[in-house]
């Protein structure tokens, strides 16, 4: 179902709210460049964690909290 959903997904050209994208360089399931490119296309803020794997918020919760908190304070 996830593969079918991914195949049918079409990203919007624009989203009119601030966006935050977090990715992890050590993720073995999703390449962080996909997230980076999506953030760029949608003009969102992007942060890359060097050490976390796919479960970014479990691997590096303090890093994620820092990035989310900083984003929400703007």
């Amino acid at each position: 179902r996830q593969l079918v959903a991914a195949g049918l997904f079409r990203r919007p050209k624009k989203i009119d709210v601030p966006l935050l994208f977090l990715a992890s360089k050590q993720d073995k399931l999703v390449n962080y460049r996909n997230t980076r490119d999506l953030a760029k296309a949608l003009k969102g803020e992007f942060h890359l964690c060097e050490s976390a794997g796919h479960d970014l918020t479990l691997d590096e919760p303090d890093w994620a909290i820092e990035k989310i908190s900083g984003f929400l304070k703007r």
Side-chain angles (χ1 to χ4, degrees), residues 17-66:
V17 296
L19 300 170
L20 173 65
F21 294 84
L22 304 178
S24 20
K25 197 166 191 178
Q26 304 305 316
D27 191 331
K28 303 295 186 214
L29 295 176
V30 179
N31 191 313
Y32 73 89
R33 291 176 186 93
N34 296 328
T35 305
R36 180 198 62 203
D37 295 348
L38 184 59
K40 184 176 180 180
L42 295 174
K43 296 181 177 27
E45 186 174 326
F46 173 75
H47 295 279
L48 179 63
C49 182
E50 296 289 331
S51 58
H54 186 68
D55 289 323
L56 191 152
T57 56
L58 294 177
D59 296 343
E60 293 290 347
D62 294 336
W63 182 90
I65 289 168
E66 175 188 324

